[in-house]
Amino acid sequence: MKDYLKNLFAKASEKLEYLKGTEVAFSVPNNPEHGDYATNVALTLTKKLRKNPREIAHEIINNLDIDSSVLEKVEIAGPGFINFKFSQKYLVSIIGKIFAGKEEFGKSNK
């Protein structure tokens, strides 16, 4: 799920120059009502861009290529956090991949 979000931001960086080279960290909110993941990237860019973090968050969201079958909700919270809620359909598809992969799911050669 984090990889999906990272790819969204990588694509958005093609439109928003200030996202290039910016590390976008995602965390699981303490309150499940705030979504599955959140990022404070808009807050971290405030000083650099000299803009209100909620404005930055709005601009970022408008440049994300959101697939509604994957993300049910993307919203701005508080001073400029961006919250992501994955759709039930997407979550079920991940569980299906886990069951199909059995013991091989998540293995790596590293």
Side-chain angles (χ1 to χ4, degrees):
M1 293 187 331
K2 274 188 185 180
D3 287 340
Y4 177 83
L5 295 174
K6 287 179 182 181
N7 287 334
L8 271 183
F9 276 79
K11 288 179 185 174
S13 72
E14 295 170 7
K15 302 175 208 169
L16 300 172
E17 187 69 30
Y18 59 78
L19 282 179
K20 287 183 181 172
T22 300
E23 185 173 336
V24 182
F26 298 97
S27 60
V28 176
N30 291 332
N31 184 342
E33 291 178 12
H34 295 159
D36 299 307
Y37 282 98
T39 183
N40 68 344
V41 69
L43 295 164
T44 65
L45 290 167
T46 300
K47 190 173 183 179
K48 176 181 174 182
L49 300 178
R50 297 182 182 187
K51 287 184 178 179
N52 179 301
R54 287 184 67 89
E55 285 179 43
I56 297 168
H58 186 71
E59 186 174 49
I60 290 171
I61 289 171
N62 285 339
N63 284 281
L64 294 176
D65 187 19
I66 297 168
D67 180 345
S68 62
S69 69
V70 176
L71 284 171
E72 180 178 297
K73 185 172 27 171
V74 179
E75 64 184 3
I76 301 168
F81 291 95
I82 303 173
N83 294 339
F84 302 91
K85 174 78 173 155
F86 285 90
S87 72
Q88 194 71 20
K89 180 181 177 182
Y90 181 71
L91 295 175
V92 169
S93 76
I94 291 174
I95 293 170
K97 289 177 186 176
I98 292 170
F99 284 130
K102 298 182 183 177
E103 293 85 23
E104 297 300 310
F105 184 83
K107 281 193 175 178
S108 172
N109 291 329
K110 289 185 178 182

